[in-house]
Amino acid sequence: MVVRVDLSEEDVDRIFKALADRTRRDILERAIHREQSVSALAHHYDMSFAAVQKHVAVLERAALVTKERRGREQIVRTNGPTIARAIALLDQYEQLWVDRAVQIDAVLARSDEEGGG
Amino acid sequence: MVVRVDLSEEDVDRIFKALADRTRRDILERAIHREQSVSALAHHYDMSFAAVQKHVAVLERAALVTKERRGREQIVRTNGPTIARAIALLDQYEQLWVDRAVQIDAVLARSDEEGGG
DNA sequence: CACTCTCACAACCATATGGTTGTATGTTAG
DNA sequence: CTAACATACAACCATATGGTTGTGAGAGTG
């Protein structure tokens, strides 16, 4: 799958900061598995509702999840495309690294030829 | 490419925290492009050498780069496999999301049949 | 209406983070 | 040996982060 990466540095900051917390990764995973209310999510953690609420807010600001009112509940739903964009970002780094590795291999192969011939 | 993800939660924290800073992402990119000393990297930024040194240390603790002494310099080199692992991690999330989306599509398709038949 | 549930938000606190400066140590060039 | 360079590391500071409690406001229920 091809995903364009048109994120600002601030966007990228928000995404990786959001992913850099164990609780938030867990919330994200649960939300992927099944969309559910903030309080339903909060039941799983040994911390206050407000704390979980803040974590969800961080994920929301990073656009990793969206919230939608349903009655008195706020339903948390994963925003797949943002994950895809983060992957695309890292893929770019990795591709650079792979390209670089290939270049180095080429250089080494050439010195082998020179040294051996 | 298949990459196994056998990282502890702490490892994952370190990787994403390291990537959650613009300066560190830039350092990583430069190190990918060409391995170079800490002071060579530091020249590019409008901050003290010590600050850049700390950023490199964060990247190193996350295993995104390695340092190797060469004379009086410390050469910073990208550690590609860690990037690959981070990608694999996000791929897992995305795969979960895609699977979930497929499930939902299936459910919707079934209700269409029921509603339409 | 009164009650409960769910959420929003503010105030507060301890610790982590990202920067600074200063000092010390090892390495290379004269 | 001396000077300059690259690095390491500690102390310090301001702000961000991750948690708490408390208060208040909509939304559903008896």
Side-chain angles (χ1 to χ4, degrees):
Chain A
M1 181 170 36
V2 179
V3 178
R4 226 185 318 155
V5 182
D6 53 356
L7 300 165
S8 71
E9 293 292 325
E10 289 74 23
D11 291 334
V12 180
D13 279 1
R14 277 186 223 107
I15 293 172
F16 285 128
K17 269 183 187 136
L19 290 170
D21 181 277
R22 180 181 192 152
T23 303
R24 283 196 292 267
R25 286 193 301 273
D26 199 75
I27 290 174
L28 182 63
E29 212 166 321
R30 287 181 192 278
I32 292 174
H33 188 68
R34 192 167 72 81
E35 62 184 45
Q36 54 200 296
S37 70
V38 179
S39 54
L41 287 167
H43 286 316
H44 299 292
Y45 306 98
D46 188 27
M47 65 181 75
S48 68
F49 170 80
V52 175
Q53 208 180 10
K54 279 195 191 180
H55 281 306
V56 172
V58 171
L59 288 168
E60 194 186 10
R61 259 176 269 130
L64 283 162
V65 304
T66 58
K67 284 192 304 185
E68 190 189 350
R69 266 228 171 267
R70 201 149 74 199
R72 59 184 164 186
E73 295 181 332
Q74 197 83 258
I75 303 301
V76 179
R77 177 177 295 129
T78 310
N79 190 16
T82 302
I83 301 178
R85 286 178 170 193
I87 293 173
L89 252 165
L90 293 184
D91 272 335
Q92 287 182 352
Y93 286 123
E94 207 211 2
Q95 197 51 52
L96 282 175
W97 185 77
V98 170
D99 290 348
R100 175 84 184 130
V102 168
Q103 278 178 37
I104 290 171
D105 280 352
V107 168
L108 292 180
R110 229 174 308 154
S111 13
D112 279 355
E113 278 173 35
E114 287 165 12
Chain B
M1 181 171 33
V2 179
V3 178
R4 228 186 316 155
V5 182
D6 54 355
L7 301 164
S8 70
E9 292 292 325
E10 287 73 24
D11 291 335
V12 180
D13 279 1
R14 277 185 224 109
I15 293 172
F16 285 129
K17 270 186 187 133
L19 291 170
D21 181 277
R22 180 181 192 152
T23 303
R24 282 194 293 265
R25 286 194 301 273
D26 199 75
I27 289 174
L28 182 64
E29 212 166 321
R30 288 180 192 277
I32 292 174
H33 188 68
R34 191 167 73 80
E35 63 183 45
Q36 53 199 295
S37 70
V38 179
S39 55
L41 287 166
H43 286 318
H44 299 292
Y45 306 98
D46 188 26
M47 66 181 75
S48 68
F49 169 80
V52 174
Q53 208 179 12
K54 279 195 192 182
H55 281 306
V56 172
V58 171
L59 288 168
E60 194 185 12
R61 259 177 268 130
L64 283 163
V65 305
T66 59
K67 283 192 306 186
E68 190 188 348
R69 267 229 170 267
R70 202 149 73 198
R72 59 183 165 187
E73 294 181 332
Q74 197 82 260
I75 303 300
V76 180
R77 176 176 296 129
T78 310
N79 190 16
T82 302
I83 301 177
R85 286 177 170 193
I87 293 173
L89 253 164
L90 293 184
D91 272 335
Q92 287 182 352
Y93 286 122
E94 206 210 3
Q95 197 52 53
L96 283 175
W97 184 78
V98 170
D99 290 347
R100 175 84 185 132
V102 169
Q103 278 177 37
I104 290 171
D105 280 351
V107 168
L108 292 179
R110 231 175 304 152
S111 16
D112 278 355
E113 280 174 32
E114 286 164 13

